Amino acid sequence: MLATGGTIAGSSSNPASSAKYQAATVPVTALLDAVPALGAVARIEAEQLAQVDSKDMSFALWSRLVERVAFWSAQPDVSGIVITHGTDTLEETAMLLHLACVGTVPVVLTAAMRPSTSLSADGPLNLLDAVRVAADAGATAKGVLLVINQEIHAGRDVMKAHTSAVNAFVSPVSGPIGFVQDNLVRFVRTPSRLPAKAWPVPGAWPQVEIVASYAEPGRIVVDALAQAGVSGLVVAAAGNGSVHQSLVEALTDAAGAGVAVVRSSRTGAGHVAIPAPPRPAAGVFVSAGDLNPYKARVLLALALAAEPGLAKDPAALQALFTEN
Ligand code: SIN
């Protein structure tokens, strides 16, 4: 078990409030001690990798996480790996691990919406269910998973879609891939995509930022980012990937200057159409498919780190977004 912090490790002096608390305070040993039933499921070795509120997630911690997953996956007596994480940016870490940790040993993220000291804390059951899934033979070669609220989600597909509800996580296009009910771990489908090869985690990450399309966006942000030398931009476009005309112009100029531009959607669900021939409302930019802007940013950054020339090869970049 690799612990990184989050609300699952949060505590509060007021158990009746699930909003007023300090995230990332309770050590992983205490989280494990709070769930004696774990002893009947697995023998657990725990590492406190970090103690952070996931809003402050860093590339350094991502690198460390990938390194520790690789280490533990290679141990012959390890059946599965569970990672505790904050919910706020979990979908980004899940995307990174989906791309960077390709193997057969189950890698299962879990989290909680309520701190460990709150009334009806959801962390203990999520932790137990995550271990149940990581120890289950059915989880083998299913890629990186999130177990939360008795559901199993593919790491690539899952996103946080509610500020406070315990059922905050959804896989908006395809739904959960399975369920956990006490000792019953049931997979109902395989993940939509598993990468053919593990993407290397860069030592120095290329700068990739997110811009949004909305009424009268102006081009000042895109121009400033291009001038600052960003390597890539993900557009949180409207609807099915439509971009305001003023942004299309600015992004076209940025692309001409060597910035990789990818269109995602701000809607929260669905595929962004690949325009063929290019629609004026979309520009000619690469489609992120069904990846939301935050997930698309992770893939774009890894892709540009591995192959900086991709910015000038939209067809190759599009193929990566179609495959991963
Ligand atoms: C965090 O993301 O670390 C805090 C919020 C949460 O885990 O729900």
Side-chain angles (χ1 to χ4, degrees):
M1 183 165 300
L2 303 173
T4 70
T7 292
I8 193 167
S11 59
S12 164
S13 55
N14 178 3
S17 168
S18 48
K20 284 192 183 152
Y21 66 94
Q22 182 77 40
T25 53
V26 180
V28 64
T29 44
L31 298 183
L32 294 172
D33 287 349
V35 191
L38 283 166
V41 185
R43 187 169 54 81
I44 298 174
E45 189 131 350
E47 275 186 9
Q48 188 78 52
L49 272 197
Q51 196 59 290
V52 293
D53 186 318
S54 78
K55 73 181 173 57
D56 297 323
M57 188 47 62
S58 65
F59 294 147
L61 181 51
W62 273 358
S63 296
R64 179 111 178 94
L65 201 45
V66 170
E67 182 197 306
R68 295 317 286 164
V69 168
F71 172 82
W72 287 111
S73 304
Q75 306 310 307
D77 55 346
V78 168
S79 315
I81 297 167
V82 171
I83 300 169
T84 60
H85 198 289
T87 61
D88 283 349
T89 61
L90 188 147
E91 66 204 67
E92 296 171 55
T93 300
M95 185 69 194
L96 173 83
L97 297 177
H98 160 75
L99 294 167
C101 303
V102 176
T104 51
V105 173
V107 176
V108 180
L109 287 148
T110 195
M113 292 298 292
R114 296 177 181 149
S116 66
T117 48
S118 95
L119 290 175
S120 294
D122 52 333
L125 183 59
N126 289 342
L127 198 62
L128 179 57
D129 285 348
V131 173
R132 284 169 165 154
V133 172
D136 191 274
T140 303
K142 290 254 181 354
V144 171
L145 305 171
L146 168 67
V147 171
I148 195 162
N149 197 37
Q150 297 186 286
E151 293 178 344
I152 308 170
H153 292 266
R156 176 192 180 276
D157 299 337
V158 76
M159 61 176 273
K160 187 174 183 181
H162 196 284
T163 56
S164 58
V166 289
N167 62 344
F169 282 84
V170 295
S171 295
V173 173
S174 38
I177 68 164
F179 301 89
V180 190
Q181 195 180 348
D182 292 351
N183 288 323
L184 179 70
V185 173
R186 194 162 60 92
F187 285 94
V188 292
R189 66 177 181 84
T190 49
S192 59
R193 284 195 215 164
L194 292 174
K197 66 170 177 74
W199 287 84
V201 177
W205 284 68
Q207 182 104 27
V208 176
E209 300 294 342
I210 298 173
V211 295
S213 185
Y214 39 74
E216 290 282 349
R219 49 179 294 159
I220 183 170
V221 175
V222 172
D223 287 346
L225 288 168
Q227 269 161 28
V230 294
S231 302
L233 289 173
V234 175
V235 194
N240 193 356
S242 295
V243 182
H244 194 285
Q245 194 52 42
S246 65
L247 277 191
V248 170
E249 287 162 17
L251 291 166
T252 303
D253 291 346
V259 178
V261 180
V262 171
R263 283 175 308 123
S264 177
S265 174
R266 62 181 216 183
T267 58
H271 289 253
V272 165
I274 298 174
R279 297 163 54 215
V284 292
F285 312 115
V286 166
S287 159
D290 62 351
L291 294 177
N292 72 22
Y294 314 103
K295 287 174 178 282
R297 174 177 178 258
V298 176
L299 175 53
L300 183 56
L302 291 190
L304 291 174
E307 294 174 49
L310 279 172
K312 294 216 164 63
D313 190 351
L317 192 56
Q318 184 62 73
L320 289 180
F321 271 87
T322 308
E323 286 157 16
N324 288 278

